[in-house]
Amino acid sequence: MASVLDTQLRRMVWRKHERAVEAALRARSLPPDRLRQLGRWFATHGEHPNAVRFGILLLGIAGTDDDRSVLTTLGVFWAFSTECCEALVRSQTDPRRALFDLARRAEGWARVDAVRRLDGTSDPDIKEWLIRESCTDDVLDSYFALTAARVGDLAGALTRGTPTEKTMDGAGRLLQALTDVDGPGSELASYDDALSALNGYLHQTTAEGVTLRRLPPLLSIDRYLQSPYVNRARRDEPEWRHLRHRYARLIADPATREVVLDGVAADDPVTLRHAAWVARQMHIPVRPALLRGVETTPYDSTMWFLLVDGCPSEDIAPVVSAAVRLLPLRDLRTGPTPETGLGKEFAIDSLLDMVVSRLDEHPGHGWELLETALDNRTSRNRRMALKAIRAWPTDALPSTARETLLAAAAREPLPDLRSEMEREAGRL
């Protein structure tokens, strides 16, 4: 979070002065080749982000097609993506192709910046990519999904002939982004061909029977159609009302439920995990299947999340028991460090966090996990353990709770967390 804020602040400082710098440069009528040479040096050798941005600005003013590689290489980094996209638009003979090159390589906000600038293209390669590959199930897909649908002609891709599996996969991800009512704002209502696209997707996915693979987009669309995002005027239109009923009937169909139950019963962890996500949205109980799943794949973070998130207290005991048996608690008692626990190297610690962070809702369950978390290397686990202890009534805590907290406080390297532990021990 700190690095994101730092990037934003530096960009704000640069933006405040960028236009003035450009105006001053243009007023001096400096030789373009010298500006380009200077721009490449700053862009590739600058030691401060704003020095690199200065180089990118110069390449936007005086750059050529030969600078495309420099700009697309820097553009994959969010800190420079906006500036690089603008420089590509201004300096390249075929700017949309250059932006396409960047969009295919970028992730996160950098991809958002690049895809948004592909609006208006007629390039068939770009249009096909926008439907098939632009969305990657990233939470930021929603920020460019409307552009991708319009420019790529989503409705046409779903209504002309029989789309390929890859096109259907991409269209499904795109429709999920457009209908994500929990995201930054569903934009399907702004898509003129929305009705055609939704009818097309429903037809293509049900022509030979619904599959587990196609259910997530169908569920997302159904939820959207039942939500306030569909404005009142459109909800009352006969075509939209009919479409809404068709999606609702499909989701409620016993055959659809059977597809999910078959997936939940699968021995393959990938299929089980996928089916469990779908079952969660359809309110189909899957905890027994997930408990079976973690026995064979105990380090599967998705299964642990689905097991513990929203778990009612009457079902938590077997989940906690499984965590105590299956997670390497001895290895997780590493001793405290200042590390927060972010990064792939903390994958196993995160499994403990997944369970411990929800134990505040289940007094009396999982004390052994809390003890382990208090002695874990990640401050996140130690904070979550303390959060649970605070939430539990005194009679749900063991008699050794005060001693355990004082011992944890004595070895705690973070002063604020140490003080909180000591205060809580004093309460017990």
Side-chain angles (χ1 to χ4, degrees):
M1 178 63 73
S3 63
V4 171
L5 290 174
D6 184 54
T7 297
Q8 290 175 327
L9 288 171
R10 287 177 174 176
R11 179 172 280 170
M12 287 171 62
V13 170
W14 170 249
R15 284 292 188 186
K16 183 177 180 181
H17 302 289
E18 179 184 18
R19 297 309 170 204
V21 171
E22 180 175 353
L25 288 169
R26 290 190 182 280
R28 292 175 180 272
S29 300
L30 298 172
D33 58 328
R34 298 298 300 275
L35 281 180
R36 175 175 175 263
Q37 184 180 4
L38 187 63
R40 285 184 68 93
W41 191 93
F42 271 101
T44 57
H45 292 82
E47 296 183 1
H48 187 281
N50 284 347
V52 176
R53 292 187 183 101
F54 176 65
I56 295 169
L57 172 64
L58 295 182
L59 291 179
I61 295 172
T64 69
D65 287 349
D66 291 336
D67 301 309
R68 175 167 158 176
S69 177
V70 171
L71 293 172
T72 54
T73 298
L74 288 171
V76 299
F77 300 100
W78 175 57
F80 308 117
S81 58
T82 300
E83 292 81 2
C84 285
C85 286
E86 292 175 359
L88 287 169
V89 169
R90 300 169 69 185
S91 68
Q92 300 299 294
T93 304
D94 189 349
R96 287 200 176 96
R97 199 73 192 185
L99 288 167
F100 178 40
D101 183 26
L102 173 55
R104 284 182 296 179
R105 298 168 56 191
E107 297 178 354
W109 282 113
R111 177 173 286 215
V112 174
D113 283 335
V115 173
R116 279 176 166 174
R117 289 170 172 80
L118 293 174
D119 203 357
T121 186
S122 57
D123 187 318
D125 291 340
I126 298 177
K127 290 163 71 73
E128 183 180 359
W129 179 85
L130 286 169
I131 300 301
R132 294 172 60 166
E133 298 181 55
S134 66
C135 289
T136 59
D137 284 330
D138 189 287
V139 293
L140 300 180
D141 288 346
S142 296
Y143 285 95
F144 63 74
L146 182 59
T147 297
R150 284 174 171 165
V151 178
D153 188 14
L154 174 63
L158 291 170
T159 55
R160 288 192 300 266
T162 303
T164 65
E165 283 292 297
K166 194 166 185 179
T167 297
M168 287 299 296
D169 287 343
R173 291 191 296 269
L174 185 48
L175 283 168
Q176 280 184 271
L178 285 166
T179 58
D180 181 11
V181 297
D182 294 324
S186 173
E187 295 202 82
L188 190 70
S190 301
Y191 180 42
D192 292 340
D193 293 324
L195 188 65
S196 177
L198 295 182
N199 273 311
Y201 191 76
L202 185 61
H203 170 73
Q204 299 291 352
T205 53
T206 58
E208 297 181 5
V210 175
T211 63
L212 186 63
R213 184 175 179 175
R214 302 288 175 232
L215 266 173
L218 291 169
L219 287 165
S220 182
I221 294 166
D222 176 63
R223 188 181 178 200
Y224 168 83
L225 291 173
Q226 309 299 330
S227 76
Y229 280 100
V230 181
N231 63 51
R232 177 57 56 186
R234 181 168 284 185
R235 286 176 68 87
D236 292 338
E237 291 176 8
E239 288 182 311
W240 278 90
R241 190 165 60 245
H242 179 59
L243 180 69
R244 185 167 64 252
H245 291 159
R246 288 178 65 201
Y247 270 90
R249 282 199 307 271
L250 175 68
I251 301 305
D253 191 328
T256 302
R257 183 183 178 92
E258 197 61 36
V259 168
V260 181
L261 292 174
D262 286 345
V264 169
D267 292 327
D268 172 38
V270 175
T271 303
L272 171 57
R273 190 187 308 124
H274 188 70
W277 272 113
V278 175
R280 178 185 174 98
Q281 296 175 67
M282 295 177 67
H283 308 291
I284 297 174
V286 291
R287 196 157 281 109
L290 289 168
L291 284 169
R292 185 192 75 236
V294 293
E295 292 288 344
T296 55
T297 54
Y299 296 162
D300 190 311
S301 60
T302 299
M303 288 195 195
W304 282 111
F305 173 80
L306 291 168
L307 270 172
V308 301
D309 189 61
C311 182
S313 290
E314 59 268 24
D315 293 337
I316 196 64
V319 176
V320 168
S321 176
V324 170
R325 282 189 300 104
L326 299 172
L327 297 183
L329 300 191
R330 180 179 299 177
D331 294 338
L332 286 166
R333 298 190 74 144
T334 52
T337 74
E339 294 284 353
T340 56
L342 300 176
K344 293 181 180 179
E345 66 270 29
F346 298 102
I348 304 301
D349 306 85
S350 296
L351 295 178
L352 178 64
D353 170 25
M354 211 163 286
V355 182
V356 168
S357 63
R358 289 159 176 84
L359 290 182
D360 59 318
E361 302 169 2
H362 307 289
H365 292 281
W367 177 254
E368 188 172 351
L369 298 174
L370 296 183
E371 283 187 306
T372 301
L374 286 171
D375 198 25
N376 182 250
R377 60 179 174 165
T378 72
S379 61
R380 162 80 183 180
N381 266 322
R382 302 195 300 277
R383 291 184 191 280
M384 290 300 101
L386 182 60
K387 174 172 169 270
I389 293 171
R390 280 175 173 161
W392 288 15
T394 305
D395 58 6
L397 292 165
S399 58
T400 58
R402 185 173 184 276
E403 293 176 10
T404 300
L405 262 182
L406 287 173
R411 58 180 180 264
E412 176 56 52
L414 299 176
D416 66 315
L417 186 51
R418 185 190 316 125
S419 297
E420 291 176 34
M421 288 177 177
E422 290 170 345
R423 279 197 299 271
E424 186 59 24
R427 181 186 70 86
L428 300 179

